[in-house]
Amino acid sequence: MDATDSVDQTLTCNIGDVTQAVDVTWKDKDDSPITDGQGGYTFAKGSVDGSDIQASTLTITAATLAALDTASPVTWKCAAKSTLYPESEVSADSDVVVTFLTFAVQAKHSEVLKDTQATISCVVSGLTKQLDAVKWEKPDSGGDITHDVGGFKIAEGTYQDGSDSQTTILTVP
């Protein structure tokens, strides 16, 4: 799974071939048990769906993620234990591997002839979804630029899943 450490992330562990909900445990990258509601972690064991799959989720706060070394993939683990057969063993750990994307903004340059309309684009990379909003500002804190005011046009662009990026374009009159 690709993720960013800028926002809370939810990991999912799918436990298959179950007819009754099982107990689920999670371990952090150091193989230490995770306690629900502590250390920036919350989890839900989930329930069994119509396909006999139980999806357990682990949510990790952005603050907890920011404290990790995310330069290389990080692995959390989940395991299941039957509630129907309490004497049974806990399953082997299942790895949930997260690769963290690096957020970056790159302005693209272009030459513009005098007295012609200029187009400025920025490529925002390291995304996991469409940007919620795009904001352009005038140089040296000249204030926010608003779409269709003063001849400015803002195209927010569309999230590109293959490159984990979005290109936004400002047209300057």
Side-chain angles (χ1 to χ4, degrees), residues 24-28 31-44 57-60 64 76-77:
V24 180
T25 56
W26 285 88
K27 294 179 185 174
D28 66 15
D31 228 21
S32 299
I34 294 173
T35 302
D36 186 33
Q38 293 184 4
Y41 294 103
T42 54
F43 61 84
T57 59
L58 173 68
T59 300
I60 311 163
T64 298
W76 283 268
K77 298 175 181 180

Side-chain angles (χ1 to χ4, degrees), residues 31-74:
D31 228 21
S32 299
I34 294 173
T35 302
D36 186 33
Q38 293 184 4
Y41 294 103
T42 54
F43 61 84
K45 77 176 193 176
S47 58
V48 179
D49 68 12
S51 302
D52 294 341
I53 295 173
Q54 178 178 332
S56 175
T57 59
L58 173 68
T59 300
I60 311 163
T61 64
T64 298
L65 293 170
L68 298 174
D69 176 8
T70 57
S72 42
V74 179

